[in-house]
Amino acid sequence: MEQQRTIAILGCTGSIGTQAVEIARAHPERFRVVALGAGRDGRRLAELARGLGVAHTGLGVEAATDLAALDEVDVVLNGIVGFAGLTASLAALRAGKTLALANKESLVAGGALCRAAAAEGGGRIAPVDSEHAALAQCLEGREPSTVAALVLTASGGPFRARTDLGAVTPQEALAHPTWAMGPKVTVDSATLMNKGLEVIEAHWLFGFPYDAIRVLVHPQSVVHGIVELVDGSVVMQAAVPDMRVPIQAALGAPARFASPVPPVDLAAASPLVFEPVDDLRFPSPGLAVEAGRRGGTFPAALNAANEVAVAAFLAGAASLLDIPRTVERVLEQHSSGDALALDQVAGVDAWARAVARGALGLDERDAVLQPSGVSL
């Protein structure tokens, strides 16, 4: 029997965090939760801590960063939403932890920083995003020279076939056809910005150039990642669209053990459809990939602008189409610098948020301007 792993769950009251708690409770012989972090929901945090017998808890980003570096923690599950999750990721990697990473922004805005932190402290990243978890499984044991391309799949969101995207309401955007996620990630799925962010993530996680990473729309959300090999073979990972599968894989890797999720019924899911992204209706993935190619702090600027625009959309202060427009305007005004220190990246993040607010005509005192990433 493998030694029990001690877990810190950051963002324990959110979608990813609550599912991680469920997995830990289902497998007490494998996992023991020793630390819990949340954003503002102190009551729910206290309930979880009592139920799990957890002594180390904290509210807010600073507390989450401290929890990520605790000596008694083996694995840090980072389920924080937004740029605010970066500092906790860096702390975990510098402390030599396994970072079960569900926070896209850590690698989008701070990919170089995370690589440096891992090299410094000996930490490693186990991806929690279903697509990257799938690619990691397909790549396991393969020499990079045998791999021709990585393919991320996208559900297409709720507006895959809709043309009047300017009339979309937040309620419609939050009605995802296959996944149950938090509001920010769900809106990113509606604009397909999540796929652009995931391409940048895949670049940092697996070391492949942008030309070797593609996106296909797959509305059934059954195949989560595809690896094309140089001999023409194609390897896919398939599973029911349930985040408990990749969360458990990240927490327990390389072990495999029972979960409440049944194997995917391929006959029932058929026909399996794969389509190219419609770049005209969904410009966000292209904006993200271009920011990734330009490098430096362009991805950080992209991420910050997107967070502000998504928050404005959810508050009814912007349209869905305003999201890519705002991102594009910020990128047009950005002159990239190095992304080798946290203060450099944080400075660009703050600048991009201010430019995005101006582009949207929003007052700084407006509540919708608060960074979405402060909620754990």
Side-chain angles (χ1 to χ4, degrees):
M1 175 65 69
E2 182 178 314
Q3 183 177 355
Q4 187 185 53
R5 296 180 184 180
T6 54
I7 311 291
I9 300 177
L10 310 180
C12 65
T13 63
S15 174
I16 296 294
T18 54
Q19 291 176 88
V21 167
E22 178 186 342
I23 291 166
R25 281 177 164 156
H27 298 281
E29 75 288 356
R30 293 181 178 273
F31 307 119
R32 179 166 61 93
V33 180
V34 297
L36 292 169
R40 291 183 288 266
D41 193 347
R43 176 178 297 179
R44 180 57 181 153
L45 174 64
E47 291 174 355
L48 288 171
R50 284 194 298 270
L52 293 165
V54 172
H56 301 287
T57 63
L59 288 172
V61 175
E62 186 175 346
T65 302
D66 292 338
L67 294 172
L70 286 173
D71 289 340
E72 52 264 64
V73 170
D74 298 324
V75 180
V76 177
L77 186 287
N78 188 348
I80 299 170
V81 177
F83 179 77
L86 174 57
T87 55
S89 290
L90 295 176
L93 293 170
R94 290 191 184 114
K97 313 298 185 186
T98 293
L99 174 62
L101 184 61
N103 175 261
K104 286 181 171 62
E105 296 78 7
S106 290
L107 291 176
V108 172
L113 296 178
C114 287
R115 274 195 176 178
E120 173 188 338
R124 59 176 288 271
I125 298 176
V128 168
D129 275 353
S130 61
E131 298 81 4
H132 302 97
L135 291 175
Q137 292 174 69
C138 293
L139 289 167
E140 190 173 353
R142 302 186 190 281
E143 290 293 327
S145 61
T146 68
V147 177
L150 309 180
V151 181
L152 297 156
T153 58
S155 70
F159 310 127
R160 171 172 154 258
R162 184 164 170 172
T163 56
D164 61 332
L165 296 182
V168 164
T169 67
Q171 291 72 26
E172 289 172 323
L174 293 175
H176 196 281
T178 54
W179 290 99
M181 305 172 289
K184 196 272 183 181
V185 179
T186 305
V187 174
D188 281 347
S189 180
T191 64
L192 298 194
M193 176 60 86
N194 65 328
K195 291 303 127 180
L197 301 180
E198 287 168 11
V199 169
I200 299 174
E201 278 188 277
H203 167 74
W204 288 110
L205 279 169
F206 306 116
F208 287 85
Y210 286 100
D211 288 345
I213 308 172
R214 305 199 312 274
V215 175
L216 283 177
V217 173
H218 170 53
Q220 291 77 26
S221 298
V222 167
V223 174
H224 304 290
I226 302 169
V227 170
E228 298 177 356
L229 303 178
V230 294
D231 65 358
S233 298
V234 174
V235 180
M236 304 179 180
Q237 188 268 352
V240 171
D242 188 314
M243 281 305 298
R244 289 174 296 180
V245 174
I247 293 170
Q248 181 168 302
L251 294 178
R256 298 274 186 175
F257 45 96
S259 87
V261 182
V264 62
D265 185 338
L266 291 174
S270 295
L272 300 181
V273 175
F274 299 91
E275 306 167 341
V277 174
D278 185 337
D279 295 323
L280 293 178
R281 288 194 303 128
F282 297 101
S284 291
L287 291 171
V289 173
E290 179 58 25
R293 291 183 195 277
R294 298 176 77 173
T297 52
F298 270 98
L302 167 116
N303 177 73
N306 182 63
E307 286 193 25
V308 170
V310 169
F313 169 70
L314 286 170
S319 74
L320 192 77
L321 293 179
D322 283 330
I323 297 174
R325 289 171 185 154
T326 302
V327 171
E328 185 172 23
R329 185 166 177 181
V330 169
L331 293 178
E332 287 173 347
Q333 297 184 43
H334 184 47
S335 298
S336 183
D338 291 331
L340 302 177
L342 182 57
D343 59 349
Q344 293 171 319
V345 176
V348 168
D349 177 85
W351 170 84
R353 289 178 191 276
V355 175
R357 289 194 293 265
L360 289 164
L362 298 173
D363 189 292
E364 289 199 20
R365 293 168 296 181
D366 196 311
V368 308
L369 303 177
Q370 300 308 312
S372 63
V374 299
S375 297
L376 305 195

Coordinates of all heavy atoms in Angstrom, one line a residue, residues 19 23 57 84 98 106 145 151 197 230 236 247 255 269 272 276 290 302 312 317 325 328 331-332 341 356 371 374:
Q19 N -14.7 19.1 -4.9 CA -14.5 17.8 -5.5 C -13.3 17.1 -4.9 O -13.2 15.9 -4.8 CB -14.6 17.8 -7.0 CG -15.9 18.2 -7.5 CD -15.9 18.4 -9.0 OE1 -16.1 17.4 -9.8 NE2 -15.7 19.6 -9.5
I23 N -13.0 13.5 -2.9 CA -12.0 12.4 -3.2 C -11.2 12.0 -2.0 O -11.0 10.8 -1.7 CB -11.1 12.8 -4.4 CG1 -11.9 12.9 -5.7 CG2 -10.0 11.9 -4.6 CD1 -11.2 13.6 -6.8
T57 N -5.8 26.4 8.6 CA -6.8 27.0 7.7 C -6.4 28.5 7.5 O -5.6 29.1 8.2 CB -8.2 26.9 8.2 OG1 -8.3 27.7 9.5 CG2 -8.6 25.5 8.5
A84 N -4.6 35.6 -8.9 CA -4.3 35.5 -7.5 C -3.7 34.2 -7.1 O -3.1 34.1 -6.0 CB -5.6 35.8 -6.7
T98 N 4.4 18.6 -4.7 CA 3.7 18.3 -5.9 C 2.5 19.3 -6.0 O 1.7 19.3 -5.1 CB 3.2 16.8 -5.9 OG1 4.3 15.9 -5.9 CG2 2.3 16.6 -7.1
S106 N -1.6 30.6 -13.3 CA -0.2 30.4 -12.8 C 0.7 30.2 -14.0 O 1.8 30.8 -14.0 CB -0.1 29.2 -11.9 OG -0.8 29.5 -10.7
S145 N 10.8 13.3 -29.0 CA 11.1 13.2 -30.5 C 10.1 12.3 -31.2 O 10.0 12.4 -32.4 CB 12.5 12.6 -30.7 OG 12.6 11.3 -30.1
V151 N -3.0 17.9 -29.2 CA -4.3 18.5 -29.6 C -5.2 18.6 -28.3 O -5.4 17.6 -27.6 CB -5.1 17.6 -30.6 CG1 -6.4 18.2 -31.0 CG2 -4.2 17.4 -31.8
L197 N -6.0 29.9 -23.3 CA -5.2 29.8 -22.1 C -4.6 28.4 -22.0 O -3.4 28.3 -21.5 CB -6.1 30.1 -20.9 CG -6.7 31.5 -20.9 CD1 -7.6 31.6 -19.6 CD2 -5.7 32.6 -21.0
V230 N 4.8 10.8 -34.6 CA 5.5 11.0 -35.8 C 5.3 9.9 -36.9 O 5.4 10.1 -38.1 CB 7.0 11.2 -35.6 CG1 7.3 12.4 -34.8 CG2 7.7 10.0 -34.9
M236 N -5.4 8.9 -27.8 CA -6.4 9.7 -27.2 C -6.7 9.2 -25.8 O -6.6 8.0 -25.5 CB -7.7 9.7 -28.0 CG -7.6 10.1 -29.4 SD -9.3 9.9 -30.2 CE -8.9 10.4 -31.9
I247 N -8.9 15.3 -11.2 CA -8.4 15.7 -9.9 C -7.8 14.4 -9.2 O -6.7 14.5 -8.6 CB -9.6 16.2 -9.1 CG1 -10.1 17.5 -9.6 CG2 -9.2 16.4 -7.6 CD1 -11.4 18.0 -9.0
A255 N -0.6 6.2 -9.3 CA -1.5 5.1 -8.9 C -2.8 5.3 -9.5 O -3.3 6.4 -9.8 CB -1.6 5.1 -7.4
A269 N -22.1 7.5 -26.5 CA -21.6 8.8 -26.8 C -21.5 9.1 -28.3 O -21.4 10.3 -28.7 CB -20.3 9.0 -26.1
L272 N -18.9 10.6 -32.3 CA -17.9 11.5 -31.7 C -17.5 12.5 -32.9 O -17.0 12.1 -33.9 CB -16.7 10.8 -31.2 CG -17.0 9.8 -30.1 CD1 -15.7 9.2 -29.6 CD2 -17.7 10.4 -28.9
P276 N -12.9 22.1 -36.5 CA -12.0 23.2 -36.3 C -12.7 24.3 -35.5 O -13.9 24.4 -35.6 CB -11.5 23.6 -37.7 CG -12.7 23.2 -38.6 CD -13.2 21.9 -38.0
E290 N -1.5 34.1 -29.9 CA -0.5 35.1 -30.4 C 0.2 35.7 -29.2 O 1.4 36.0 -29.3 CB -1.3 36.2 -31.2 CG -0.5 37.3 -31.7 CD 0.6 36.9 -32.6 OE1 0.5 35.8 -33.2 OE2 1.6 37.6 -32.7
L302 N -2.8 39.7 -21.4 CA -4.0 39.0 -21.9 C -4.9 38.5 -20.8 O -6.1 38.7 -20.8 CB -3.6 37.9 -22.8 CG -4.7 36.9 -23.2 CD1 -4.9 36.9 -24.7 CD2 -4.3 35.5 -22.8
A312 N -16.9 42.1 -15.9 CA -17.9 43.1 -16.3 C -19.1 42.4 -17.0 O -20.2 42.9 -16.9 CB -17.2 44.1 -17.3
A317 N -22.3 44.7 -17.3 CA -21.7 45.9 -17.7 C -21.0 45.8 -19.0 O -20.3 46.8 -19.5 CB -20.7 46.4 -16.6
R325 N -12.8 41.9 -27.6 CA -12.5 43.3 -28.0 C -11.6 44.0 -27.0 O -10.6 44.7 -27.4 CB -13.7 44.1 -28.2 CG -14.6 43.7 -29.5 CD -15.9 44.4 -29.4 NE -16.8 44.0 -30.5 CZ -18.1 44.1 -30.4 NH1 -18.7 44.6 -29.3 NH2 -18.8 43.7 -31.5
E328 N -8.1 42.4 -27.0 CA -7.3 42.8 -28.2 C -6.8 44.3 -28.0 O -5.7 44.6 -28.4 CB -8.2 42.8 -29.5 CG -7.4 43.1 -30.7 CD -8.3 42.8 -32.0 OE1 -9.5 42.8 -31.9 OE2 -7.7 42.5 -33.0
L331 N -3.8 44.3 -25.6 CA -2.6 43.7 -26.3 C -2.0 44.7 -27.3 O -0.8 44.8 -27.4 CB -3.0 42.4 -27.0 CG -3.3 41.3 -26.0 CD1 -3.7 40.0 -26.9 CD2 -2.2 40.9 -25.1
E332 N -2.9 45.5 -28.0 CA -2.4 46.5 -28.9 C -1.6 47.6 -28.3 O -0.7 48.1 -28.9 CB -3.6 47.1 -29.7 CG -4.2 46.1 -30.7 CD -5.5 46.7 -31.3 OE1 -6.0 47.7 -30.8 OE2 -6.0 46.1 -32.3
A341 N 10.4 38.1 -12.9 CA 10.2 38.4 -11.5 C 8.7 38.6 -11.3 O 8.0 39.2 -12.1 CB 11.1 39.6 -11.1
A356 N -8.0 47.8 -19.4 CA -9.2 47.1 -19.7 C -10.4 47.9 -19.1 O -11.5 48.0 -19.8 CB -9.2 45.7 -19.2
P371 N -10.7 42.2 -9.0 CA -10.2 41.1 -9.7 C -10.9 39.8 -9.3 O -11.1 39.5 -8.1 CB -8.7 41.1 -9.2 CG -8.4 42.5 -8.8 CD -9.7 43.0 -8.2
V374 N -9.4 37.1 -6.7 CA -9.3 37.2 -5.2 C -10.2 36.1 -4.5 O -10.0 35.9 -3.3 CB -9.6 38.6 -4.7 CG1 -8.7 39.6 -5.2 CG2 -11.1 39.0 -4.9

